[in-house]
Amino acid sequence: MTQTLDPVFKGVIPYLSVEGAGAAAEFYQKAFGAQELRRMPADDGKRFMHIHLEINGGSLMLSDAFPESGYGHQPSHSFTMQLVVADLDGWWKRAVDAGGKPTSEPQVMFWGDYYGAMADPFGVHWAFNQPAEQPV
């Protein structure tokens, strides 16, 4: 039996554990135009076991850290969430206005694409890439 998957369930889906998943989901909605698809609160009524967002056609899943269950918070330091967009300046302004902190201002890079990077208030690193115009 072949099962068809919803497009937001294809490919690699990042799953972030942050401190304040509910607030992070709200930030991602303001900063990146995310749509919340599902939210599952934890038994304590304060944290979230699971939040599923759709951003730019792809999925992002997140939860709060649960150190009492062996899932403590570890800050983001070895990965970057990459958004490939057609209007980097628009995406950048919205994210900065929402509270993103630039780490690399948008500029044309040596590989030809327009690129900028920032950290969000939850310590997650994000990069924005607008592909260079390709000759036909």
Side-chain angles (χ1 to χ4, degrees), residues 50-127:
H50 176 74
I51 299 175
H52 182 182
L53 302 173
E54 181 180 353
I55 300 174
N56 197 31
S59 284
L60 173 65
M61 297 187 186
L62 51 137
S63 71
D64 280 287
F66 289 87
E68 70 277 11
S69 298
Y71 298 98
H73 181 258
Q74 295 183 5
S76 163
H77 64 278
S78 63
F79 66 89
T80 299
M81 305 297 292
Q82 178 86 13
L83 287 166
V84 179
V85 298
D87 175 23
L88 189 147
D89 289 331
W91 280 77
W92 184 264
K93 180 177 180 349
R94 181 176 59 192
V96 169
D97 288 350
K101 302 293 182 215
T103 57
S104 177
E105 293 290 334
Q107 60 188 299
V108 176
M109 299 303 285
F110 65 90
W111 63 85
D113 290 352
Y114 190 42
Y115 174 91
M118 68 176 55
D120 73 26
F122 304 90
V124 178
H125 299 272
W126 293 83

